[in-house]
Amino acid sequence: MANHKSALKRIRRNEAVRLRNRYQHKTVRNAIKKLRSEEDKKAAETLLPSVVSMIDKLAKRNIIHSNKAANLKSKLMTKVATM
C-alpha cells in the first residue's frame, strides 16, 4: 500500500483514467463491429468517417498504437470499398 498522499492520489487518478480508456476503447470496438456487419454500402459509407475519427482519437491519446489504428482504418476502408 502506498505511504505518501501523492501516491494515493495517483492510484485514484490512474484508476479513473483506466476506466475512461476502457470505456472509449469498448465504444470504438462496438462501432467497428457495427460497421463490419453493415450490409448496405450507403449506410457503411456514412458510418465510416465517424468510426475512422474515433480510431484516430484513440491513437492520438495512446489508448491504441498508431500502427494498429492505421491497420484498422485500412481494413475498414477496403471492406467498404469492395461492397
Side-chain angles (χ1 to χ4, degrees), residues 12-80:
R12 288 196 306 268
R13 182 75 186 118
N14 285 345
E15 181 64 15
V17 169
R18 185 184 74 83
L19 291 174
R20 186 179 320 118
N21 288 346
R22 271 183 59 192
Y23 172 77
Q24 291 172 348
H25 196 179
K26 185 66 175 174
T27 304
V28 172
R29 284 199 307 259
N30 287 336
I32 290 170
K33 285 177 192 170
K34 183 178 177 185
L35 179 60
R36 283 187 179 142
S37 67
E38 191 66 55
E39 300 289 327
D40 183 33
K41 185 175 172 88
K42 284 275 191 204
E45 285 176 343
T46 58
L47 194 60
L48 183 64
S50 63
V51 174
V52 167
S53 174
M54 293 165 80
I55 292 171
D56 284 336
K57 285 177 186 171
L58 286 186
K60 186 177 91 174
R61 296 179 183 138
N62 290 322
I63 297 172
I64 61 173
H65 196 274
S66 57
N67 289 352
K68 178 175 178 146
N71 290 336
L72 284 171
K73 291 191 300 183
S74 173
K75 287 187 179 186
L76 289 174
M77 288 181 188
T78 303
K79 181 169 176 57
V80 171

